[in-house]
Amino acid sequence: KQWYQRRVAVSVAKTDEYSRRDTVIVTGLEYKKESETFDTLSGSVADELSTSGVKVTASDFSACHRNGNRIKTVSHKGKQVKLPPTVTVRFKNSHKKDLIINNYKNSVNGKPKPARVVQSLNNHYQTLKNTMNNFV
């Protein structure tokens, strides 16, 4: 019975990961709460992702939204840093998302860019991967 439960958990995890194959998370994108609309947000995201060398327009997205509406303040190297809410972007075409991930640079000349792009994988991806390797 325990083996079956693990198989089901792994199957659900794989399905969850597959459903995120066309999604990225953009962090550090400037946040203008009062004036931000779907059109301005998706335009800002498209402009940022286009710095990868791949032409991106808002029409490439099937969804684009902020994850929350609060700016977080964190301590980094002894300084208080304000972080805007992340943005989840789902592409209509996963091939275009793959081009972005392969070409977008999170740093320039060794210095981190204010905005960064990461794949949208499950928060417990490494644990799930280990579970899959151990029980499948």
Side-chain angles (χ1 to χ4, degrees):
K1 185 174 179 173
Q2 188 178 21
W3 176 85
Y4 177 75
Q5 289 172 333
R6 287 181 178 152
R7 288 285 283 195
V8 169
V10 169
S11 177
V12 168
K14 285 181 177 180
T15 301
D16 184 48
E17 291 304 311
Y18 183 77
S19 72
R20 296 171 188 252
R21 73 193 178 285
D22 54 0
T23 306
V24 298
I25 302 290
V26 181
T27 64
L29 194 66
E30 186 178 355
Y31 183 43
K32 298 175 185 169
K33 183 177 182 177
E34 295 79 25
S35 63
E36 191 168 84
T37 64
F38 173 78
D39 291 335
T40 60
L41 177 61
S42 57
S44 295
V45 170
D47 291 345
E48 181 61 36
L49 296 180
S50 290
T51 65
S52 68
V54 177
K55 183 168 175 38
V56 179
T57 63
S59 64
D60 291 322
F61 310 143
S62 62
C64 179
H65 64 83
R66 289 269 180 193
N67 300 311
N69 60 4
R70 294 190 181 146
I71 294 177
K72 294 180 186 176
T73 303
V74 297
S75 181
H76 179 69
K77 296 184 179 180
K79 295 181 181 178
Q80 295 295 312
V81 179
K82 293 185 178 188
L83 300 175
T86 60
V87 179
T88 297
V89 181
R90 174 166 268 172
F91 283 85
K92 291 178 181 175
N93 180 330
S94 61
H95 176 69
K96 185 154 246 187
K97 186 273 308 186
D98 292 338
L99 287 172
I100 298 299
I101 290 296
N102 290 332
N103 291 292
Y104 188 87
K105 304 294 183 221
N106 283 322
S107 61
V108 176
N109 298 326
K111 295 183 179 181
K113 291 172 71 173
R116 294 177 173 206
V117 177
V118 295
Q119 288 191 16
S120 176
L121 298 175
N122 189 304
N123 291 338
H124 307 288
Y125 180 71
Q126 190 59 48
T127 302
L128 293 170
K129 185 176 175 185
N130 291 339
T131 302
M132 287 183 249
N133 290 336
N134 291 333
F135 297 105
V136 177

